[in-house]
Amino acid sequence: MLRAILLFTLLSASVWSQVLLPTPTQVTPQAGSFTYGNGVKWVMEGIPQQDGGFLQQQIRSAFTGKSSADAGNKNTIRLTVSPASAVTQDYRLRIGLTEISIESRTLAGVFHGIQTLRQWVPLGSDQAAACEITDSPRFGWRGLMLDSSRHIQSVEEIKTYLDQMALYKFNVFHWHLTDDQGWRIEIKSRPKLTEVGAWRVPREGIWWFRPGPQPGEKPTYGGFYTQEQIKDIVAYAAQRHISVVPEIDVPGHSLAILAAYPELSTGGGPFQVNPGSKFYGSIENTLDPSNPETFVFLDDVFREVAALFPNEFIHMGGDECPKNFWAKDPDCQALMKKEGLNNPGELQSWFVKRVEKIIHSHGKKLMGWDEILEGGLAESATVMSWRGKAGGIAAAKMGRQVVMSPSPAYYLDLYQGHPEIEPATYGMARLKDTYQFDPTLPADVDAKLLLGIQANLWTEEIPTFRHLQYMTWPRAFAVAEEAWSAKADQKDWPAFVKKVEAQFPRFDAMGWNYARSLYDPAVSFSADKKSIVLTPEIDGLQIHYTFDDAEPDASYPVYQGPLPIPQGASHLRTRTYRDGKPIGRLTLITIANIAKDKRTP
Ligand code: ACM
């Protein structure tokens, strides 16, 4: 009997080791289990006073069973931070029959060990199967970028996002705080940025096709974060061992600045914050590099930003600057002549180098999107590669540090399923695309220049926090796995899917949202366009379908291969089942739209 119990717990430990996400370096299941009760003895060694209560609360939240009221239980939970520890990995988590211990040389390591424990304990249980786990991250930069300009989130929503990130060991929150659609950070020396630049006219509907501001219309949609709120968020993130990197996007993406301070443009304005209507290249959204006041302004902004964010980097954006306004401006032409700049690309590079000096003068390093390579890269700049990997590779070949956050694989704003059944957006990055992507540098480049990886969530089409979570998860799980553990030669899609599915009940229990698009098939035409091809993203699903507009239940035919399109059929409905139960959404596919992006009207 005892043997049977031991065998059972050993088996369950090995099952649990399959659901940890990101995958730890080494998991050794052992026999038996630890039981949590409210009488548990806490031993805190080397834990700063202000963190003790928070870490205890994090651990308590792992045990959601009924026996937690058992005050007779005298088991121990020990957290140890010791710079001289024999544990050379990021952390070691040991679960014995009477003691859980998490040891590390750093507080961050102990925090990471706690996140592993929170996943190791089954939902609804007070038992932790015995094991020893040692673990270290693959990359030092494990980032998510959130765009708070196109749509703003509340402080509480940002904190929930940070909670979600922490559970999967993300450690960089790249915060896109300014753009054409709204300026979101209080700058005390430049009050019009938030009085004017934080507000636009309200609009719904598909991005880029929204009507622009009408004459006399009041800009009522928007908001901003006060410096006190920003300090609160930075501290909340820091407690979760996440560092916040602010992005102030210049010289393009600056329409919100120009709405507030039109004198910083070449054209003079007036300008309005853009509500999501088409303007790029036709309404100016660039700062004037020939105006010395532009750099006085940037010095004010970066001084206040540098004081708010402890991270060593300030991200200056630098992407997608339409240089046509510079090309036709006499003052920019004169500046180019004076400085010996041959083209607007070199003028942009000149601008970035000025910004680099300002950022350095406030004790920070400059990071920018890969356009900062154009016309010559500033001396110390770190490049964030988004137009594929090319910019990152080029920068690394110059010996510069890079972060890989390439589109489409790491762009969380793209479709994750068939456009007709997903909220409107553009492009495509299914969970499997994100998971399979290899972000590494080529073999002839020093691998150490790759600081790490990041996924980006642009919010043009994301008005609510529910939807924001839907776009983030589960694709960010794939990025977390890549950032912490996975290597190209160790990828195992079915094993990863199992880990992903194990997170869903946890999200449900927390009231967090996520997409279930992995249960719906990709839909495409055969090469001759005479048949429809359904491609399930994961194994073990049966796709039931019909062309007759009824709701396909399990008695409808199962997809076996390309479906010839019946004469006269306009729609296909599908629903996936697993083990006889519906698991995917009921889809309605308009055959005429199969090859279309829903964002295109
Ligand atoms: C970007 O997506 N424009 C960085």
Side-chain angles (χ1 to χ4, degrees):
M1 179 65 184
L2 187 63
R3 256 194 73 201
I5 291 171
L6 285 181
L7 191 65
F8 173 76
T9 55
L10 199 57
L11 269 179
S12 60
S14 65
V15 167
W16 284 109
S17 71
Q18 292 169 21
V19 302
L20 295 175
L21 198 168
T23 309
T25 314
Q26 177 94 41
V27 181
T28 312
Q30 292 163 353
S33 64
F34 173 97
T35 302
Y36 177 83
N38 280 348
V40 76
K41 184 171 160 225
W42 295 95
V43 181
M44 299 277 173
E45 297 166 324
I47 306 290
Q49 182 90 34
Q50 69 271 22
D51 285 287
F54 166 67
L55 296 180
Q56 283 184 20
Q57 178 205 333
Q58 287 260 306
I59 293 174
R60 270 198 214 103
S61 74
F63 296 98
T64 51
K66 294 223 169 16
S67 64
S68 57
D70 173 11
N73 176 335
K74 291 283 185 277
N75 288 337
T76 298
I77 297 181
R78 180 185 303 273
L79 304 182
T80 306
V81 175
S82 166
S85 167
V87 176
T88 55
Q89 297 90 348
D90 185 52
Y91 68 88
R92 183 187 63 201
L93 164 63
R94 278 181 167 157
I95 303 174
L97 306 192
T98 59
E99 178 169 309
I100 291 178
S101 74
I102 302 176
E103 182 167 335
S104 174
R105 293 183 171 189
T106 66
L107 188 60
V110 164
F111 183 76
H112 295 146
I114 291 172
Q115 304 317 308
T116 301
L117 176 66
R118 290 175 67 198
Q119 289 186 33
W120 180 259
V121 181
L123 206 54
S125 171
D126 286 321
Q127 308 271 317
C131 69
E132 175 164 322
I133 295 175
T134 48
D135 198 9
S136 291
R138 179 186 183 200
F139 291 121
W141 185 295
R142 304 181 298 279
L144 287 186
M145 188 220 77
L146 177 61
D147 169 5
S148 291
S149 171
R150 275 57 177 265
H151 287 98
I152 186 167
Q153 304 80 29
S154 71
V155 170
E156 285 314 307
E157 288 166 347
I158 300 272
K159 287 182 175 178
T160 301
Y161 206 58
L162 291 165
D163 286 337
Q164 295 171 352
M165 287 174 65
L167 186 52
Y168 300 99
K169 303 189 176 81
F170 282 102
N171 68 346
V172 178
F173 176 57
H174 169 175
W175 201 4
H176 185 79
L177 283 162
T178 75
D179 214 303
D180 300 304
Q181 287 75 24
W183 180 279
R184 303 287 174 228
I185 172 172
E186 178 189 22
I187 300 294
K188 292 184 198 257
S189 60
R190 298 284 174 163
K192 282 202 274 182
L193 283 172
T194 43
E195 286 165 12
V196 177
W199 303 95
R200 63 172 169 84
V201 295
R203 291 289 182 274
E204 298 282 336
I206 291 186
W207 187 259
W208 220 234
F209 301 103
R210 295 177 185 170
Q214 302 301 301
E217 191 180 5
K218 294 256 175 308
T220 54
Y221 178 89
F224 63 92
Y225 305 101
T226 65
Q227 294 203 353
E228 286 312 306
Q229 287 174 322
I230 286 181
K231 285 181 204 161
D232 180 34
I233 285 171
V234 166
Y236 191 91
Q239 194 168 41
R240 285 149 187 79
H241 300 276
I242 296 170
S243 193
V244 186
V245 174
E247 180 185 347
I248 304 296
D249 200 349
V250 289
H253 288 276
S254 293
L255 195 47
I257 301 175
L258 301 187
Y261 298 103
E263 62 273 22
L264 301 180
S265 71
T266 62
F271 302 96
Q272 287 161 301
V273 180
N274 184 273
S277 44
K278 196 165 187 168
F279 71 96
Y280 188 87
S282 60
I283 295 173
E284 177 161 23
N285 69 335
T286 56
L287 296 175
D288 177 3
S290 71
N291 180 355
E293 283 305 313
T294 294
F295 299 100
V296 177
F297 167 83
L298 290 173
D299 189 58
D300 284 344
V301 170
F302 285 123
R303 181 185 329 106
E304 294 193 36
V305 169
L308 286 169
F309 296 92
N311 193 284
E312 62 180 323
F313 288 107
I314 290 179
H315 198 303
M316 62 146 296
D319 56 320
E320 299 177 313
C321 176
K323 301 177 198 74
N324 50 324
F325 304 102
W326 295 354
K328 62 181 184 218
D329 179 65
D331 293 337
C332 287
Q333 294 302 316
L335 173 66
M336 286 171 65
K337 206 168 194 179
K338 176 169 155 247
E339 297 289 338
L341 307 170
N342 296 314
N343 54 57
E346 289 185 12
L347 179 54
Q348 172 170 299
S349 168
W350 180 88
F351 176 92
V352 173
K353 286 170 189 163
R354 290 281 309 254
V355 171
E356 181 187 39
K357 280 209 186 80
I358 293 172
I359 287 179
H360 281 182
S361 77
H362 299 301
K364 300 291 184 182
K365 293 189 199 163
L366 181 144
M367 179 175 279
W369 299 110
D370 55 61
E371 284 92 334
I372 65 171
L373 281 155
E374 291 166 10
L377 185 60
E379 209 165 287
S380 67
T382 299
V383 171
M384 188 170 266
S385 196
W386 75 275
R387 295 177 299 177
K389 285 171 41 166
I393 293 170
K397 287 198 163 151
M398 297 162 70
R400 303 304 173 73
Q401 293 183 317
V402 301
V403 174
M404 284 293 185
S405 65
S407 174
Y410 290 175
Y411 263 44
L412 302 178
D413 56 328
L414 304 187
Y415 285 115
Q416 55 191 316
H418 186 64
E420 200 158 38
I421 56 173
E422 293 290 339
T425 179
Y426 70 104
M428 181 66 69
R430 293 211 74 172
L431 176 62
K432 195 172 188 176
D433 301 326
T434 306
Y435 178 73
Q436 296 291 10
F437 184 76
D438 174 8
T440 52
L441 293 166
D444 61 343
V445 186
D446 180 1
K448 283 200 216 56
L449 291 169
L450 180 57
L451 295 181
I453 64 172
Q454 177 175 296
N456 300 327
L457 184 53
W458 304 101
T459 58
E460 285 96 335
E461 312 275 7
I462 305 179
T464 69
F465 187 57
R466 286 297 283 176
H467 187 33
L468 191 158
Q469 296 170 82
Y470 175 94
M471 299 304 280
T472 304
W473 312 104
R475 286 179 294 186
F477 293 144
V479 180
E481 179 70 6
E482 187 75 32
W484 186 276
S485 33
K487 311 231 166 37
D489 59 351
Q490 293 166 6
K491 294 214 174 167
D492 182 340
W493 170 245
F496 174 70
V497 169
K498 211 179 233 180
K499 289 171 188 282
V500 167
E501 291 197 274
Q503 309 314 311
F504 290 170
R506 292 187 185 275
F507 267 54
D508 291 336
M510 296 297 293
W512 294 346
N513 199 21
Y514 56 92
R516 296 167 57 87
S517 311
L518 78 168
Y519 297 120
D520 300 322
V523 186
S524 58
F525 285 127
S526 58
D528 64 6
K529 293 215 162 44
K530 293 205 169 110
S531 304
I532 296 173
V533 179
L534 302 178
T535 313
E537 194 167 20
I538 66 174
D539 292 340
L541 302 180
Q542 297 81 46
I543 310 168
H544 295 268
Y545 69 91
T546 180
F547 285 99
D548 69 7
D549 238 11
E551 183 169 334
D553 64 19
S555 71
Y556 276 72
V558 175
Y559 179 81
Q560 306 286 357
L563 302 170
I565 302 168
Q567 283 287 334
S570 59
H571 291 88
L572 168 71
R573 283 183 192 264
T574 73
R575 186 152 206 183
T576 51
Y577 284 67
R578 185 160 68 186
D579 303 328
K581 296 200 189 80
I583 191 162
R585 289 174 286 195
L586 174 65
T587 73
L588 175 64
I589 311 289
T590 309
I591 294 168
N593 289 345
I594 281 181
K596 281 196 186 147
D597 177 338
K598 196 162 122 193
R599 190 156 99 151
T600 313

